[in-house]
């Protein structure tokens, strides 16, 4: 298929060089999409239907056989050999069961090592004499060592996951899922499915995946290309709101206030305060005639624009046209017959432009936010009845700042500037946005993401128990309201595929303290996994635990409190162990990654050494946030976990 595209001759099929360049770009993208994946088979399953799909079953039509794979594959004549996993005819591979065989006589799963076929497993779904059984190949695929970036799960999607993946484009979905339930994979595969089902629409409107940090995005970046989807953009929330250079930080209290949804009203008031009601009329001179729009009429025009509550910039652009229209009405009354060109000329008249500048001056969002954060009186006026005096003092900068460029903006300030920017000029909306690790966003950050999908839909992924910011989400209903997707369907995934039973059971001891009422994850893994709590007296013993685990196949993550990273870096160097940073791709030579606890979210390793749990807790502003950070760190392992500690363990784990 790739060679066919490479051999296309477009010399005589385009009218000009522009068309030729566009067509060549499309061909190049198609060639990229058809790249071979050396360790990934073209198909992983087979369905034998009792009857041809769509045929009248009463007529006894013969069944059909379909091979299911990551990509559609056809032969030289164009006949399909492998059916895309997203096609409707592939759906029973994920949904069919003994209770509901969906007209499938046989479902076959194939097992592979690298690119070689090594096993297969059959289920005769329509045979009542065959008992339902757990798939061994499914278990092996789930437990396969994690080396390299995150991989797709098309061969192991479960029925409850498939239901979310195939939900329609028009509705938004929120997925609450504990560690290892596959929520990130579900979100990415939902993007792939939507691009398959609504390709033209999403090609026009765009698709975006938002992750918590660059390391996480680097870890997941190969999933969609492996499924043939190359056009999906990835970003962090900080990337979305990068209107200014962020060089500063806030303390937790100030960041919580700045991230509060009430700040949106403070900003709205501050923006609208620039409008000044006119006290004088406007006189427009055209030729020998003078046309006057009195102050009371201007005031009516301005009042109407304010009442419409449209964007500040849009109203400012409309104001000269409204004034010009008032002049044209006078011209028509006097017997003239002006047209649109006259109205445009009046709107550009010097007197009209001067009036607009005085009534509705331009607003620079960054300068506006800077004034709010540095001018106590300006903030007090616009935060009156919204923020109390203590809250206002928390967000005011103690030192004066000369300009926007010299200011040491914090991440929360950039979000405020993004809100102000949207109040002035509408933010471009995409067709679909996937928001992962959403529980860590502030209300103002939710609003920033929501602006990017006002005319589209969203897939929100997260776990309330893993919220590790002081402003972490308390409930999905509240978060979705800030996002502007209050009608989103909330789904919960509770079956754990990644974390072994013993490990998730140990980590779940923290749930009553960090997320009371949340359903614990139940591991479906038959292998209980390796789990050990090991007292230590020196960093060399921690490194020794890593060396022991490196004797196994797969990746190793050494997770520690951020403050412990320098000491462990020295210990690793002294032991002669090479290691990677979070998100860097593991290789056969280097399988150990040193991970600060603050960057562990969303990552996974075959084996994890967790250093000093109490230090992880102590590294956060409050105990609950610290315990949530610890819960994240405890649940990164796929096959085994070793907890090392010199200090006593947190009492919640006792």
């Amino acid at each position: 298929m790739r060679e066919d595209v490479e051999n296309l001759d477009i010399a005589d099929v385009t009218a000009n060089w522009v068309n030729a360049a566009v067509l060549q770009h499309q061909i190049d993208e198609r060639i990229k999409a058809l790249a071979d994946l050396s360790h990934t088979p073209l198909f992983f399953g087979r369905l034998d239907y009792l009857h041809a799909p769509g045929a009248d079953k009463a007529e006894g039509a013969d069944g059909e056989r379909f091979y299911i794979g990551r990509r559609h594959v056809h032969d030289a004549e164009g006949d399909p050999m492998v059916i895309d996993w997203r096609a409707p005819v592939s759906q029973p591979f994920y949904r069919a069961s003994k209770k509901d065989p969906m007209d499938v006589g046989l479902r076959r799963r194939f097992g592979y090592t690298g690119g070689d076929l090594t096993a297969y497993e059959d289920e005769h779904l329509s045979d009542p004499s065959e008992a339902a059984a757990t798939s061994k190949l499914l278990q092996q695929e789930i437990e396969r060592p994690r080396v390299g970036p995150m991989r797709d799960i098309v061969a192991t999607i479960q029925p409850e996951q498939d239901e979310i993946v195939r939900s329609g484009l028009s509705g938004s979905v929120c997925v609450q899922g504990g560690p290892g339930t596959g929520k990130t994979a579900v979100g990415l595969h939902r993007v792939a499915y939507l691009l398959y089902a609504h390709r033209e629409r999403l090609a026009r409107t765009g698709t975006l995946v938002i992750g918590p940090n660059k390391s996480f995005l680097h870890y997941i970046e190969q999933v969609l290309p492996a499924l043939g989807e190359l056009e999906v953009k990835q970003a962090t929330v900080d990337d979305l709101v990068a209107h200014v250079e962020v060089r500063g930080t806030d303390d937790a209290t100030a960041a919580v206030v700045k991230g509060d949804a009430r700040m949106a009203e403070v900003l709205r008031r501050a923006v609208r305060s620039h409008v000044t009601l006119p006290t004088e009329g406007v006189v427009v001179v055209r030729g020998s005639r003078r046309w006057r729009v009195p102050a009371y009429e201007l005031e009516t025009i301005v009042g109407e624009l304010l009442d419409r509550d449209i964007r500040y910039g849009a109203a400012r652009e409309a104001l000269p046209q409204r004034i010009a229209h008032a002049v044209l009405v006078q011209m028509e009354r006097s017997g003239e017959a002006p047209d649109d060109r006259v109205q445009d000329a009046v709107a550009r008249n010097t007197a009209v432009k001067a009036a607009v500048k005085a009534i509705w001056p331009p607003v620079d969002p960054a300068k506006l936010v800077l004034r709010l954060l540095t001018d106590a009186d300006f903030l007090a006026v616009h935060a009156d009845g919204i923020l109390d005096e203590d809250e206002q003092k928390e967000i005011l900068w103690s030192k004066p700042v000369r300009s926007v460029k010299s200011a040491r903006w914090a991440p929360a300030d950039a979000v405020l500037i993004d809100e102000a920017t949207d109040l002035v000029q509408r933010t471009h909306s995409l067709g679909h946005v996937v928001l992962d690790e959403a529980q860590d966003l502030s209300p103002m950050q939710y609003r920033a993401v929501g602006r990017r999908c006002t005319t589209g839909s969203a897939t929100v992924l997260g776990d309330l128990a893993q919220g590790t910011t002081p402003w972490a989400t308390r409930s999905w209903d509240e978060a979705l309201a800030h996002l502007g997707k209050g009608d989103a369907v909330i789904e919960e995934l509770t079956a754990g595929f990644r974390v072994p039973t013993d490990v998730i059971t140990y980590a779940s001891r923290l749930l009553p303290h960090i997320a009371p009422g949340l359903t614990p994850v139940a591991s479906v893994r038959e292998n209980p996994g390796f789990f050990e709590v090991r007292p230590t007296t020196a960093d060399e013993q921690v490194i020794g635990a890593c060396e022991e685990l490196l004797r196994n196949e797969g990746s190793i993550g050494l997770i520690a409190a951020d403050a412990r990273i320098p000491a462990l870096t020295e210990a690793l160097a002294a032991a002669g162990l090479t290691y990677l940073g979070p998100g860097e791709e593991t290789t056969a030579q280097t399988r150990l990654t040193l991970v600060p606890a603050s960057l562990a979210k969303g990552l996974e390793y075959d084996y994890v050494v967790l250093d000093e749990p109490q230090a992880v807790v102590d590294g956060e502003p409050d105990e609950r946030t610290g315990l949530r950070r610890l819960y994240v760190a405890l649940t990164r392992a796929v096959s085994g976990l070793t907890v090392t500690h010199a200090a006593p363990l947190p009492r919640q784990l006792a």
Side-chain angles (χ1 to χ4, degrees):
M1 288 169 66
R2 188 175 63 252
E3 287 172 0
D4 286 345
V5 180
E6 289 172 341
N7 293 329
L8 285 174
D9 183 2
I10 62 171
D12 299 322
V13 298
T14 54
N16 53 55
W17 70 269
V18 176
N19 289 346
V22 170
L23 184 56
Q24 187 59 53
H25 173 73
Q26 292 173 338
I27 289 173
D28 292 342
E29 290 299 301
R30 177 66 173 158
I31 292 169
K32 281 187 201 173
L34 290 171
D36 281 326
L37 300 173
S38 57
H39 298 295
T40 303
L42 286 175
F43 61 92
F44 51 79
R46 191 182 102 188
L47 289 176
D48 291 4
Y49 278 87
L50 297 175
H51 307 87
D56 188 347
K57 296 176 184 178
E59 295 178 0
D62 292 335
E64 283 193 66
R65 174 177 295 170
F66 299 96
Y67 286 85
I68 313 301
R70 288 165 176 78
R71 313 286 301 282
H72 167 82
V73 182
H74 60 248
D75 61 18
E77 284 70 43
D79 294 325
M81 299 177 69
V82 179
I83 305 299
D84 193 301
W85 66 276
R86 298 167 287 189
V89 77
S90 303
Q91 187 171 338
F93 185 78
Y94 304 106
R95 301 269 188 103
S97 64
K98 296 291 288 186
K99 289 183 179 179
D100 181 14
M102 300 176 73
D103 201 42
V104 172
L106 179 142
R107 172 169 57 198
R108 174 170 289 179
R109 298 181 190 275
F110 294 98
Y112 288 87
T113 302
D116 299 327
L117 175 66
T118 55
Y120 67 88
E121 186 179 74
D122 287 347
E123 296 173 86
H124 297 88
L125 297 176
S126 298
D127 183 354
S129 64
E130 182 180 289
T134 303
S135 168
K136 298 292 184 186
L137 287 180
L138 202 63
Q139 286 287 338
Q140 290 171 12
E141 175 65 20
I142 290 169
E143 295 175 11
R144 188 154 55 92
R146 264 66 168 171
V147 177
M150 182 180 179
R151 57 179 184 258
D152 65 71
I153 61 163
V154 287
T156 60
I157 295 173
Q158 298 300 290
E160 65 273 17
Q161 295 174 327
D162 188 66
E163 192 172 330
I164 298 169
V165 167
R166 294 177 193 265
S167 54
L169 177 61
S170 58
S172 293
V173 179
C174 174
V175 182
Q176 158 63 39
T181 54
K183 56 186 178 295
T184 296
V186 165
L188 294 174
H189 288 67
R190 175 159 155 75
V191 170
Y193 173 77
L194 292 175
L195 286 167
Y196 174 87
H198 307 278
R199 190 165 302 282
E200 288 189 10
R201 179 174 168 186
L202 289 177
R204 292 193 309 271
T205 55
T207 311
L208 175 67
V209 174
I210 302 173
N213 52 56
K214 296 290 187 184
S215 299
F216 177 83
L217 292 177
H218 183 67
Y219 177 60
I220 69 169
E221 67 184 357
Q222 295 303 319
V223 174
L224 289 167
L227 301 174
E229 302 300 345
L230 307 175
E231 299 299 319
V232 180
K233 292 182 172 57
Q234 295 184 344
T236 64
V237 175
D238 290 342
D239 293 333
L240 299 182
V241 301
H243 303 285
V244 292
E245 183 182 359
V246 173
R247 296 181 295 150
T249 55
D250 282 319
D251 61 39
T253 308
V256 168
V257 176
K258 289 179 181 179
D260 195 298
R262 293 175 297 163
M263 288 300 299
E265 178 59 21
V266 175
L267 289 165
R268 193 187 75 86
R269 288 183 181 180
V271 168
R272 288 168 68 97
S273 72
H274 289 77
V275 178
T276 304
L277 291 178
T279 56
E280 297 180 357
V282 176
V283 178
V284 176
V285 178
R286 283 186 61 80
S288 60
R289 301 292 301 271
R290 294 162 63 88
W291 309 96
R292 185 173 185 277
V293 181
Y296 72 85
E297 192 170 347
L298 288 176
E299 189 173 330
T300 300
I301 293 171
V302 171
E304 288 173 353
L305 288 173
L306 288 172
D307 290 341
R308 287 182 60 192
D309 203 24
I310 58 177
R311 296 295 193 282
Y312 185 91
R316 188 173 188 275
E317 291 172 3
L319 181 57
Q321 291 291 336
R322 293 291 186 91
I323 296 172
H325 177 72
V327 172
L328 259 65
V329 169
Q330 294 183 33
M331 290 181 176
E332 289 169 351
R333 286 174 181 164
S334 68
E336 294 189 21
D339 56 17
D340 289 345
R341 289 173 299 177
V342 174
Q343 180 166 331
D344 289 340
V346 173
R348 295 192 301 270
N349 182 274
T350 304
V352 173
K353 289 165 72 173
V356 170
K357 186 176 181 180
I359 297 169
W360 215 291
V363 169
D364 182 305
K367 289 181 179 177
L368 174 78
V369 173
L370 184 64
R371 187 179 176 192
L372 276 172
L373 298 177
T374 56
D375 185 336
D377 293 336
F378 187 67
L379 177 62
V381 169
H382 301 300
D384 183 41
I386 301 175
L387 304 179
D388 61 33
E389 288 186 13
D390 290 338
E391 289 172 322
Q392 292 177 36
K393 287 177 183 176
E394 281 292 341
I395 64 174
L396 275 170
W397 292 357
S398 56
K399 297 179 181 178
V401 178
R402 286 184 296 178
S403 68
V404 167
K405 285 189 176 181
S406 64
R408 293 184 61 82
W409 298 104
D413 301 329
V415 180
L416 296 179
I417 294 172
D418 190 71
E419 179 83 27
T421 301
D422 185 70
L423 288 166
V424 175
Q425 205 72 41
R426 183 182 295 277
T427 304
H428 174 67
S429 175
L430 299 164
H432 192 77
V433 170
V434 175
L435 175 61
D436 203 355
E437 301 296 349
Q439 72 280 346
D440 275 340
L441 269 60
S442 69
M444 290 299 285
Q445 287 176 315
Y446 277 117
R447 289 176 62 88
V449 174
R451 285 192 281 279
R452 272 76 186 177
C453 55
T454 49
T455 58
S457 54
T459 301
V460 180
L461 312 165
D463 179 12
L464 296 177
Q466 295 186 61
T468 51
T469 55
W471 49 84
T473 303
R474 289 182 295 237
S475 77
W476 290 122
D477 286 334
E478 181 182 323
L480 293 168
H482 294 312
L483 193 69
K485 303 294 179 186
D487 58 348
V489 176
I490 300 175
E491 303 280 1
E492 187 170 10
L493 297 175
T494 57
F497 302 98
R498 184 187 72 222
V499 188
T501 302
D502 289 355
V503 175
I504 195 65
T505 301
Y506 184 71
S508 293
R509 295 182 184 183
L510 298 176
L511 282 180
H513 308 281
I514 60 176
L518 208 61
T519 305
V521 172
S523 178
V524 299
R525 301 272 296 276
E526 291 186 347
N527 182 353
F530 167 79
F531 174 64
E532 180 186 16
V533 178
R534 182 184 297 184
T536 59
T537 56
D539 291 343
E540 289 75 14
Q541 292 172 288
V542 179
I543 306 306
C546 295
E547 291 174 324
E548 290 174 27
L549 293 177
L550 281 167
R551 295 171 194 153
N552 301 313
E553 184 184 2
S555 57
I556 314 296
L558 171 54
I559 303 177
D562 292 30
R564 289 273 297 145
I565 296 298
L568 292 174
T569 299
E570 290 183 11
L572 285 167
L577 278 182
T578 58
Y579 62 92
L580 303 165
E584 293 181 13
E585 190 171 332
T586 53
T587 64
Q589 293 74 35
T590 308
R591 295 182 289 120
L592 175 65
T593 304
L594 179 59
V595 187
S598 61
L599 297 180
K601 191 168 296 180
L603 304 179
E604 58 182 24
Y605 302 93
D606 287 295
Y607 294 90
V608 167
V609 175
L610 174 59
D611 170 75
E612 293 296 352
Q614 188 61 54
V616 174
V617 177
D618 293 342
E620 300 299 326
D622 58 83
E623 185 181 61
R624 190 179 77 156
T625 303
L627 290 173
R628 286 182 167 185
R629 183 75 72 190
L630 178 59
Y631 181 72
V632 171
L634 283 167
T635 53
R636 300 303 97 199
V638 176
S639 298
L641 170 68
T642 298
V643 177
T644 61
H645 67 101
L649 291 171
R651 57 183 172 77
Q652 293 85 354
L653 287 178

